Amino acid sequence: MNSMRSLRSSFSMARAFSLGMAVTLLVAMLTGMLIVSGGVSTVRNEAVARNRLIAMTLANDVTLFLDSYSQALSLLSGGDFRTVDGVNTIARQYPAFSAVFTVDRDGRVDSAASMAGAVLDDVSMRPFYQEAIHSTGMYLSGTFVAEGDYMPTSVMAIPSVHGLAVGYLNLAQVSAFLMSLPVYNLGSVAVVDRNGYYVAHADRVQVIERGSVALETWFAKASTGSSDWMTVHKTSGMEEIVCWAPVGRSSGWTVVVAAPVDRVFRTANRFIFSLTVSVLVIGLAVLSMEIWLLLLLQKDIRAMRYKTMAVAEGDYRQSIRYEGFKDFLPLIRDFERAVEAIEDREHQLKVSRSRFERLLEALPAPALIVSPEGTITLMNEAITAMLGWTMDDLHSVDQWMTLV
Protein backbone atom coordinates (compact mmCIF):
# COMPACT_ATOMS: atom_id res chain seq x y z
CA MET A 1 0.00 0.00 0.00
CA ASN A 2 2.81 2.40 0.93
CA SER A 3 4.68 1.63 -2.30
CA MET A 4 1.51 2.32 -4.27
CA ARG A 5 1.08 5.66 -2.53
CA SER A 6 4.72 6.50 -3.19
CA LEU A 7 4.33 5.63 -6.86
CA ARG A 8 1.14 7.63 -7.15
CA SER A 9 2.74 10.65 -5.51
CA SER A 10 5.52 10.66 -8.12
CA PHE A 11 3.06 11.37 -10.96
CA SER A 12 0.90 14.35 -11.70
CA MET A 13 -2.73 13.62 -12.30
CA ALA A 14 -2.51 14.81 -15.90
CA ARG A 15 0.51 12.63 -16.61
CA ALA A 16 -1.07 9.61 -14.95
CA PHE A 17 -4.27 10.19 -16.89
CA SER A 18 -2.32 10.53 -20.18
CA LEU A 19 -0.37 7.37 -19.40
CA GLY A 20 -3.60 5.53 -18.70
CA MET A 21 -5.05 6.73 -22.00
CA ALA A 22 -1.91 5.64 -23.87
CA VAL A 23 -2.04 2.18 -22.28
CA THR A 24 -5.75 1.92 -23.10
CA LEU A 25 -5.15 2.86 -26.75
CA LEU A 26 -2.24 0.41 -26.96
CA VAL A 27 -4.36 -2.41 -25.56
CA ALA A 28 -7.15 -1.46 -27.97
CA MET A 29 -4.72 -1.54 -30.91
CA LEU A 30 -3.32 -4.94 -29.87
CA THR A 31 -6.84 -6.26 -29.46
CA GLY A 32 -7.72 -4.91 -32.89
CA MET A 33 -4.65 -6.58 -34.39
CA LEU A 34 -5.67 -9.90 -32.85
CA ILE A 35 -9.20 -9.47 -34.19
CA VAL A 36 -7.87 -8.58 -37.64
CA SER A 37 -5.49 -11.56 -37.55
CA GLY A 38 -8.38 -13.84 -36.63
CA GLY A 39 -10.48 -12.26 -39.39
CA VAL A 40 -7.73 -12.82 -41.97
CA SER A 41 -7.50 -16.46 -40.91
CA THR A 42 -11.27 -16.81 -41.16
CA VAL A 43 -11.32 -15.23 -44.63
CA ARG A 44 -8.53 -17.56 -45.78
CA ASN A 45 -10.31 -20.62 -44.41
CA GLU A 46 -13.60 -19.60 -46.01
CA ALA A 47 -11.88 -18.96 -49.36
CA VAL A 48 -10.14 -22.34 -49.20
CA ALA A 49 -13.38 -24.12 -48.28
CA ARG A 50 -15.27 -22.36 -51.09
CA ASN A 51 -12.62 -23.04 -53.74
CA ARG A 52 -12.23 -26.69 -52.67
CA LEU A 53 -16.00 -27.10 -52.94
CA ILE A 54 -15.95 -25.51 -56.39
CA ALA A 55 -13.05 -27.76 -57.44
CA MET A 56 -14.93 -30.87 -56.28
CA THR A 57 -18.13 -29.68 -57.99
CA LEU A 58 -16.29 -29.05 -61.26
CA ALA A 59 -14.55 -32.43 -60.93
CA ASN A 60 -17.96 -34.03 -60.65
CA ASP A 61 -19.17 -32.10 -63.73
CA VAL A 62 -16.12 -33.20 -65.73
CA THR A 63 -16.72 -36.77 -64.54
CA LEU A 64 -20.30 -36.58 -65.86
CA PHE A 65 -18.94 -35.17 -69.11
CA LEU A 66 -16.56 -38.13 -69.48
CA ASP A 67 -19.32 -40.54 -68.48
CA SER A 68 -21.61 -39.25 -71.21
CA TYR A 69 -18.90 -39.61 -73.86
CA SER A 70 -17.80 -43.02 -72.61
CA GLN A 71 -21.41 -44.26 -72.64
CA ALA A 72 -21.72 -43.05 -76.22
CA LEU A 73 -18.63 -45.04 -77.16
CA SER A 74 -20.04 -48.06 -75.30
CA LEU A 75 -22.82 -48.19 -77.90
CA LEU A 76 -20.14 -49.07 -80.46
CA SER A 77 -18.79 -51.98 -78.43
CA GLY A 78 -20.94 -54.52 -80.21
CA GLY A 79 -24.27 -55.27 -81.76
CA ASP A 80 -25.95 -53.55 -84.69
CA PHE A 81 -24.68 -50.09 -83.75
CA ARG A 82 -21.03 -51.03 -84.46
CA THR A 83 -21.28 -49.75 -88.02
CA VAL A 84 -20.12 -46.76 -90.04
CA ASP A 85 -23.54 -45.15 -89.57
CA GLY A 86 -23.33 -45.68 -85.81
CA VAL A 87 -19.85 -44.19 -85.71
CA ASN A 88 -20.96 -41.15 -87.75
CA THR A 89 -23.96 -40.65 -85.46
CA ILE A 90 -21.73 -40.59 -82.37
CA ALA A 91 -19.33 -38.17 -84.09
CA ARG A 92 -22.18 -35.77 -84.94
CA GLN A 93 -23.88 -35.89 -81.54
CA TYR A 94 -20.72 -35.48 -79.49
CA PRO A 95 -18.75 -32.49 -80.86
CA ALA A 96 -15.77 -32.91 -78.52
CA PHE A 97 -14.83 -36.02 -80.53
CA SER A 98 -12.59 -35.00 -83.41
CA ALA A 99 -12.45 -38.62 -84.59
CA VAL A 100 -14.52 -41.73 -83.80
CA PHE A 101 -13.72 -45.26 -85.01
CA THR A 102 -13.81 -48.90 -83.98
CA VAL A 103 -10.84 -51.28 -83.85
CA ASP A 104 -10.88 -55.07 -83.93
CA ARG A 105 -8.85 -57.32 -81.65
CA ASP A 106 -5.90 -57.21 -84.07
CA GLY A 107 -5.68 -53.43 -84.08
CA ARG A 108 -7.21 -52.86 -87.52
CA VAL A 109 -9.76 -50.06 -87.95
CA ASP A 110 -13.00 -51.61 -89.17
CA SER A 111 -15.26 -48.53 -89.17
CA ALA A 112 -14.49 -44.81 -88.89
CA ALA A 113 -16.43 -41.55 -89.03
CA SER A 114 -16.08 -39.60 -92.25
CA MET A 115 -15.02 -36.53 -90.25
CA ALA A 116 -11.84 -38.17 -88.94
CA GLY A 117 -8.88 -35.88 -89.55
CA ALA A 118 -6.56 -38.69 -90.59
CA VAL A 119 -7.07 -42.06 -92.23
CA LEU A 120 -6.30 -44.79 -89.72
CA ASP A 121 -5.91 -48.35 -90.94
CA ASP A 122 -3.84 -50.10 -88.30
CA VAL A 123 -3.38 -48.82 -84.75
CA SER A 124 -1.95 -51.99 -83.26
CA MET A 125 1.36 -50.24 -82.58
CA ARG A 126 -0.18 -47.14 -81.04
CA PRO A 127 0.44 -46.84 -77.26
CA PHE A 128 -3.24 -46.23 -76.58
CA TYR A 129 -4.22 -49.50 -78.30
CA GLN A 130 -1.65 -51.57 -76.42
CA GLU A 131 -2.83 -50.16 -73.10
CA ALA A 132 -6.56 -49.95 -73.76
CA ILE A 133 -7.01 -53.44 -75.22
CA HIS A 134 -5.99 -54.95 -71.89
CA SER A 135 -8.05 -52.58 -69.70
CA THR A 136 -11.34 -53.53 -68.13
CA GLY A 137 -13.02 -50.13 -68.24
CA MET A 138 -12.80 -46.74 -69.85
CA TYR A 139 -9.28 -45.86 -70.93
CA LEU A 140 -8.11 -42.24 -71.20
CA SER A 141 -4.66 -41.51 -72.57
CA GLY A 142 -2.31 -38.66 -71.85
CA THR A 143 -2.48 -35.60 -74.07
CA PHE A 144 -0.79 -35.38 -77.44
CA VAL A 145 -1.05 -33.37 -80.67
CA ALA A 146 -3.24 -35.26 -83.14
CA GLU A 147 -2.26 -35.63 -86.75
CA GLY A 148 -4.67 -33.98 -89.11
CA ASP A 149 -5.99 -31.05 -87.06
CA TYR A 150 -2.88 -30.63 -84.90
CA MET A 151 -4.96 -29.97 -81.83
CA PRO A 152 -4.17 -31.18 -78.30
CA THR A 153 -6.01 -34.43 -77.95
CA SER A 154 -6.65 -37.30 -75.55
CA VAL A 155 -7.78 -40.76 -76.61
CA MET A 156 -10.86 -42.28 -74.98
CA ALA A 157 -11.33 -46.01 -75.58
CA ILE A 158 -13.88 -48.58 -74.44
CA PRO A 159 -12.75 -52.26 -74.68
CA SER A 160 -15.14 -55.07 -75.67
CA VAL A 161 -15.03 -58.62 -77.01
CA HIS A 162 -14.91 -57.18 -80.53
CA GLY A 163 -11.99 -54.84 -79.86
CA LEU A 164 -12.12 -51.11 -79.04
CA ALA A 165 -14.48 -48.20 -79.55
CA VAL A 166 -12.21 -45.16 -79.82
CA GLY A 167 -12.80 -41.42 -79.73
CA TYR A 168 -10.29 -38.59 -80.02
CA LEU A 169 -11.23 -35.92 -77.48
CA ASN A 170 -10.44 -32.41 -78.74
CA LEU A 171 -9.23 -30.72 -75.57
CA ALA A 172 -10.12 -27.27 -76.87
CA GLN A 173 -13.74 -28.45 -76.80
CA VAL A 174 -13.23 -29.70 -73.25
CA SER A 175 -12.02 -26.20 -72.32
CA ALA A 176 -15.13 -24.74 -73.91
CA PHE A 177 -17.29 -27.11 -71.85
CA LEU A 178 -15.43 -26.19 -68.65
CA MET A 179 -15.77 -22.47 -69.26
CA SER A 180 -19.49 -22.87 -69.91
CA LEU A 181 -19.90 -23.94 -66.28
CA PRO A 182 -20.65 -21.29 -63.57
CA VAL A 183 -17.14 -20.67 -62.22
CA TYR A 184 -18.03 -17.33 -60.55
CA ASN A 185 -15.18 -15.30 -62.07
CA LEU A 186 -12.48 -17.16 -60.18
CA GLY A 187 -8.82 -16.40 -60.72
CA SER A 188 -8.05 -19.56 -62.73
CA VAL A 189 -9.89 -22.82 -63.44
CA ALA A 190 -8.15 -25.66 -65.26
CA VAL A 191 -7.96 -29.42 -65.69
CA VAL A 192 -4.62 -31.23 -65.95
CA ASP A 193 -3.85 -34.82 -66.85
CA ARG A 194 -1.74 -37.33 -64.94
CA ASN A 195 1.42 -35.94 -66.54
CA GLY A 196 0.68 -32.34 -65.62
CA TYR A 197 -0.37 -31.12 -69.09
CA TYR A 198 -3.39 -28.86 -69.36
CA VAL A 199 -6.49 -30.68 -70.55
CA ALA A 200 -8.69 -27.61 -70.16
CA HIS A 201 -7.99 -24.02 -69.21
CA ALA A 202 -9.75 -20.67 -69.21
CA ASP A 203 -6.96 -19.51 -71.51
CA ARG A 204 -7.10 -21.97 -74.44
CA VAL A 205 -3.55 -21.02 -75.42
CA GLN A 206 -2.35 -22.98 -72.40
CA VAL A 207 -4.03 -26.10 -73.84
CA ILE A 208 -3.02 -25.53 -77.46
CA GLU A 209 0.62 -24.88 -76.54
CA ARG A 210 0.56 -27.84 -74.13
CA GLY A 211 1.26 -25.88 -71.00
CA SER A 212 2.31 -27.95 -68.02
CA VAL A 213 2.22 -27.78 -64.22
CA ALA A 214 4.42 -30.83 -63.72
CA LEU A 215 7.08 -28.73 -61.98
CA GLU A 216 4.64 -26.92 -59.67
CA THR A 217 5.12 -27.71 -55.97
CA TRP A 218 1.48 -28.67 -55.49
CA PHE A 219 1.31 -31.11 -58.43
CA ALA A 220 3.23 -33.91 -56.69
CA LYS A 221 0.68 -33.77 -53.86
CA ALA A 222 -2.25 -33.61 -56.28
CA SER A 223 -0.92 -36.67 -58.19
CA THR A 224 -1.87 -38.89 -55.25
CA GLY A 225 -5.54 -38.51 -56.21
CA SER A 226 -6.58 -36.63 -53.07
CA SER A 227 -8.48 -33.36 -52.74
CA ASP A 228 -6.47 -30.68 -50.94
CA TRP A 229 -5.06 -27.15 -51.17
CA MET A 230 -1.78 -25.27 -50.85
CA THR A 231 -0.49 -21.70 -50.84
CA VAL A 232 1.91 -21.31 -53.76
CA HIS A 233 4.55 -18.57 -54.09
CA LYS A 234 5.02 -17.62 -57.73
CA THR A 235 8.35 -16.46 -59.16
CA SER A 236 6.67 -13.12 -59.90
CA GLY A 237 6.24 -12.64 -56.15
CA MET A 238 2.49 -13.25 -56.25
CA GLU A 239 0.85 -15.75 -53.91
CA GLU A 240 -1.97 -18.07 -54.94
CA ILE A 241 -4.28 -20.35 -53.05
CA VAL A 242 -4.43 -23.50 -55.17
CA CYS A 243 -7.21 -26.05 -54.55
CA TRP A 244 -7.64 -29.27 -56.48
CA ALA A 245 -9.93 -32.30 -56.73
CA PRO A 246 -9.51 -35.50 -58.77
CA VAL A 247 -11.83 -36.32 -61.66
CA GLY A 248 -13.47 -39.73 -61.39
CA ARG A 249 -13.57 -42.69 -63.78
CA SER A 250 -9.83 -43.35 -63.24
CA SER A 251 -9.09 -40.63 -65.77
CA GLY A 252 -6.02 -39.32 -63.98
CA TRP A 253 -7.35 -35.79 -64.54
CA THR A 254 -7.41 -33.17 -61.80
CA VAL A 255 -9.49 -30.00 -61.57
CA VAL A 256 -7.47 -27.03 -60.30
CA VAL A 257 -8.91 -23.78 -58.92
CA ALA A 258 -6.28 -21.11 -58.25
CA ALA A 259 -7.09 -17.71 -56.77
CA PRO A 260 -4.54 -14.91 -56.12
CA VAL A 261 -4.25 -14.13 -52.43
CA ASP A 262 -4.75 -10.40 -53.04
CA ARG A 263 -8.08 -11.17 -54.74
CA VAL A 264 -9.13 -13.46 -51.89
CA PHE A 265 -8.37 -10.76 -49.33
CA ARG A 266 -9.45 -7.79 -51.42
CA THR A 267 -12.77 -7.36 -49.62
CA ALA A 268 -11.18 -8.19 -46.26
CA ASN A 269 -8.39 -5.67 -46.90
CA ARG A 270 -10.92 -2.98 -47.73
CA PHE A 271 -12.80 -3.75 -44.54
CA ILE A 272 -9.56 -3.75 -42.52
CA PHE A 273 -8.49 -0.44 -44.08
CA SER A 274 -11.88 1.16 -43.36
CA LEU A 275 -11.83 -0.23 -39.82
CA THR A 276 -8.28 1.02 -39.24
CA VAL A 277 -9.10 4.51 -40.52
CA SER A 278 -12.26 4.61 -38.41
CA VAL A 279 -10.39 3.51 -35.28
CA LEU A 280 -7.66 6.10 -35.90
CA VAL A 281 -10.17 8.89 -36.45
CA ILE A 282 -12.17 7.91 -33.36
CA GLY A 283 -8.96 7.48 -31.35
CA LEU A 284 -7.69 10.94 -32.39
CA ALA A 285 -11.06 12.49 -31.61
CA VAL A 286 -11.14 10.84 -28.16
CA LEU A 287 -7.53 11.79 -27.51
CA SER A 288 -8.21 15.42 -28.49
CA MET A 289 -11.20 15.51 -26.19
CA GLU A 290 -9.21 14.02 -23.32
CA ILE A 291 -6.41 16.55 -23.81
CA TRP A 292 -8.98 19.36 -23.81
CA LEU A 293 -10.52 18.00 -20.59
CA LEU A 294 -7.05 17.74 -19.03
CA LEU A 295 -6.35 21.39 -19.89
CA LEU A 296 -9.64 22.42 -18.29
CA LEU A 297 -8.78 20.33 -15.24
CA GLN A 298 -5.37 21.96 -14.94
CA LYS A 299 -7.04 25.36 -15.22
CA ASP A 300 -9.36 24.51 -12.31
CA ILE A 301 -6.41 23.25 -10.24
CA ARG A 302 -4.43 26.45 -10.93
CA ALA A 303 -7.41 28.54 -9.80
CA MET A 304 -7.65 26.62 -6.51
CA ARG A 305 -3.88 26.79 -5.99
CA TYR A 306 -3.91 30.57 -6.50
CA LYS A 307 -6.46 30.87 -3.69
CA THR A 308 -4.51 28.57 -1.33
CA MET A 309 -1.32 30.58 -1.92
CA ALA A 310 -3.17 33.79 -1.10
CA VAL A 311 -4.53 32.24 2.12
CA ALA A 312 -1.05 31.00 3.04
CA GLU A 313 0.19 34.60 2.77
CA GLY A 314 -2.63 35.79 5.04
CA ASP A 315 -4.90 37.29 2.42
CA TYR A 316 -8.37 35.98 3.23
CA ARG A 317 -10.19 38.41 0.98
CA GLN A 318 -9.49 36.42 -2.20
CA SER A 319 -12.55 34.53 -3.43
CA ILE A 320 -12.68 31.71 -5.95
CA ARG A 321 -14.96 32.34 -8.89
CA TYR A 322 -15.20 28.71 -9.91
CA GLU A 323 -16.93 27.77 -13.16
CA GLY A 324 -15.34 24.38 -13.74
CA PHE A 325 -16.35 20.76 -13.22
CA LYS A 326 -19.07 20.27 -10.65
CA ASP A 327 -17.04 17.48 -9.03
CA PHE A 328 -14.80 20.15 -7.50
CA LEU A 329 -17.64 22.35 -6.22
CA PRO A 330 -17.92 20.56 -2.83
CA LEU A 331 -14.15 20.89 -2.40
CA ILE A 332 -14.31 24.63 -3.22
CA ARG A 333 -17.14 25.17 -0.74
CA ASP A 334 -15.36 23.22 2.00
CA PHE A 335 -12.21 25.23 1.34
CA GLU A 336 -14.07 28.55 1.58
CA ARG A 337 -15.66 27.45 4.86
CA ALA A 338 -12.22 26.43 6.15
CA VAL A 339 -10.83 29.86 5.20
CA GLU A 340 -13.69 31.57 7.03
CA ALA A 341 -13.03 29.41 10.10
CA ILE A 342 -9.29 30.23 10.03
CA GLU A 343 -10.00 33.94 9.63
CA ASP A 344 -12.43 33.83 12.58
CA ARG A 345 -9.95 31.98 14.79
CA GLU A 346 -7.14 34.42 13.94
CA HIS A 347 -9.46 37.26 14.88
CA GLN A 348 -10.26 35.55 18.20
CA LEU A 349 -6.54 35.02 18.84
CA LYS A 350 -5.83 38.70 18.22
CA VAL A 351 -8.60 39.70 20.61
CA SER A 352 -7.33 37.26 23.23
CA ARG A 353 -3.74 38.54 22.84
CA SER A 354 -4.93 42.12 23.17
CA ARG A 355 -6.71 41.26 26.43
CA PHE A 356 -3.65 39.42 27.76
CA GLU A 357 -1.38 42.37 26.95
CA ARG A 358 -3.71 44.78 28.74
CA LEU A 359 -3.81 42.45 31.76
CA LEU A 360 0.01 42.22 31.80
CA GLU A 361 0.32 46.01 31.71
CA ALA A 362 -2.07 46.32 34.59
CA LEU A 363 -0.01 44.07 36.89
CA PRO A 364 1.85 45.98 39.67
CA ALA A 365 4.68 43.43 39.73
CA PRO A 366 7.38 43.40 37.03
CA ALA A 367 6.63 40.81 34.34
CA LEU A 368 7.89 39.96 30.89
CA ILE A 369 7.24 37.29 28.22
CA VAL A 370 10.08 35.31 26.66
CA SER A 371 9.71 33.21 23.48
CA PRO A 372 11.10 29.62 23.27
CA GLU A 373 14.04 31.10 21.36
CA GLY A 374 14.93 33.35 24.28
CA THR A 375 13.61 36.58 22.76
CA ILE A 376 11.73 39.03 24.97
CA THR A 377 8.47 39.75 23.24
CA LEU A 378 6.72 41.83 25.90
CA MET A 379 7.38 43.58 29.24
CA ASN A 380 5.10 45.66 31.41
CA GLU A 381 5.44 49.17 32.73
CA ALA A 382 6.35 47.87 36.18
CA ILE A 383 9.82 46.75 34.91
CA THR A 384 10.41 50.11 33.23
CA ALA A 385 9.38 51.97 36.42
CA MET A 386 11.61 49.80 38.64
CA LEU A 387 14.70 49.36 36.44
CA GLY A 388 14.34 52.02 33.78
CA TRP A 389 14.73 49.54 30.92
CA THR A 390 12.44 49.50 27.87
CA MET A 391 11.87 47.02 25.02
CA ASP A 392 14.49 48.92 23.01
CA ASP A 393 17.10 48.11 25.70
CA LEU A 394 16.26 44.48 26.10
CA HIS A 395 15.87 42.10 23.19
CA SER A 396 16.81 38.78 24.69
CA VAL A 397 17.34 36.91 27.91
CA ASP A 398 21.12 37.09 27.35
CA GLN A 399 21.03 40.91 27.40
CA TRP A 400 18.91 40.71 30.55
CA MET A 401 21.44 38.50 32.29
CA THR A 402 24.30 40.73 31.20
CA LEU A 403 22.67 43.86 32.53
CA VAL A 404 21.61 42.14 35.72
Side-chain angles (χ1 to χ4, degrees), residues 45-295:
N45 293 337
E46 289 180 352
V48 168
R50 182 186 67 246
N51 287 3
R52 289 187 65 183
L53 179 61
I54 291 173
M56 288 187 286
T57 302
L58 292 178
N60 184 65
D61 290 336
V62 174
T63 300
L64 294 176
F65 172 84
L66 294 178
D67 283 344
S68 65
Y69 273 72
S70 67
Q71 288 172 7
L73 286 180
S74 298
L75 296 175
L76 303 176
S77 298
D80 297 335
F81 207 72
R82 190 182 173 87
T83 63
V84 174
D85 290 338
V87 169
N88 285 328
T89 300
I90 297 299
R92 286 194 302 269
Q93 296 297 322
Y94 293 85
F97 280 144
S98 60
V100 181
F101 53 92
T102 58
V103 181
D104 63 19
R105 300 294 297 180
D106 296 324
R108 291 189 297 271
V109 176
D110 50 21
S111 60
S114 58
M115 63 177 291
V119 177
L120 300 175
D121 294 325
D122 191 335
V123 296
S124 60
M125 301 304 294
R126 298 292 180 97
F128 76 82
Y129 174 80
Q130 296 175 2
E131 294 178 11
I133 197 66
H134 299 294
S135 65
T136 57
M138 185 196 76
Y139 167 82
L140 197 63
S141 74
T143 62
F144 62 96
V145 177
E147 64 270 29
D149 58 6
Y150 300 103
M151 294 296 292
T153 303
S154 181
V155 175
M156 177 182 287
I158 303 297
S160 70
V161 295
H162 301 286
L164 295 176
V166 182
Y168 276 22
L169 277 175
N170 184 332
L171 300 183
Q173 293 292 329
V174 178
S175 293
F177 165 77
L178 183 68
M179 292 304 102
S180 68
L181 300 175
V183 294
Y184 305 102
N185 194 27
L186 296 174
S188 176
V189 178
V191 180
V192 297
D193 66 9
R194 62 174 59 89
N195 298 315
Y197 290 105
Y198 283 115
V199 173
H201 197 284
D203 181 7
R204 292 191 183 184
V205 175
Q206 294 286 349
V207 180
I208 295 172
E209 295 183 354
R210 300 200 72 205
S212 175
V213 296
L215 298 180
E216 297 281 350
T217 54
W218 59 268
F219 181 69
K221 193 174 181 181
S223 300
T224 61
S226 61
S227 174
D228 208 339
W229 72 280
M230 179 184 291
T231 301
V232 177
H233 300 270
K234 296 291 186 179
T235 55
S236 60
M238 184 178 67
E239 282 188 326
E240 283 187 338
I241 295 177
V242 180
C243 303
W244 61 87
V247 176
R249 298 286 293 177
S250 302
S251 63
W253 289 5
T254 303
V255 172
V256 184
V257 177
V261 171
D262 58 350
R263 176 177 295 187
V264 171
F265 293 109
R266 183 176 298 166
T267 303
N269 289 337
R270 289 175 181 173
F271 171 75
I272 291 170
F273 177 76
S274 302
L275 180 63
T276 302
V277 171
S278 301
V279 169
L280 287 176
V281 170
I282 294 173
L284 289 175
V286 171
L287 185 61
S288 300
M289 181 177 293
E290 295 297 340
I291 292 174
W292 178 64
L293 292 175
L294 283 174
L295 292 176

Side-chain angles (χ1 to χ4, degrees), residues 304 322-337:
M304 289 187 290
Y322 183 74
E323 298 177 350
F325 296 106
K326 67 178 183 179
D327 307 75
F328 288 107
L329 281 176
L331 179 62
I332 297 297
R333 291 168 184 162
D334 292 342
F335 179 78
E336 289 178 341
R337 285 195 293 267

Side-chain angles (χ1 to χ4, degrees), residues 11-49:
F11 286 92
S12 65
M13 182 172 63
R15 184 177 299 177
F17 191 76
S18 300
L19 181 62
M21 282 297 301
V23 172
T24 301
L25 289 176
L26 180 61
V27 171
M29 290 178 62
L30 291 176
T31 303
M33 291 174 63
L34 291 174
I35 293 174
V36 167
S37 177
V40 168
S41 178
T42 300
V43 170
R44 180 185 293 271
N45 293 337
E46 289 180 352
V48 168

Side-chain angles (χ1 to χ4, degrees), residues 346-363:
E346 282 198 356
H347 176 71
Q348 292 179 7
L349 286 173
K350 288 179 180 179
V351 172
S352 178
R353 180 180 177 86
S354 176
R355 290 176 181 173
F356 178 75
E357 289 177 353
R358 289 198 300 271
L359 177 62
L360 189 66
E361 288 292 339
L363 288 176

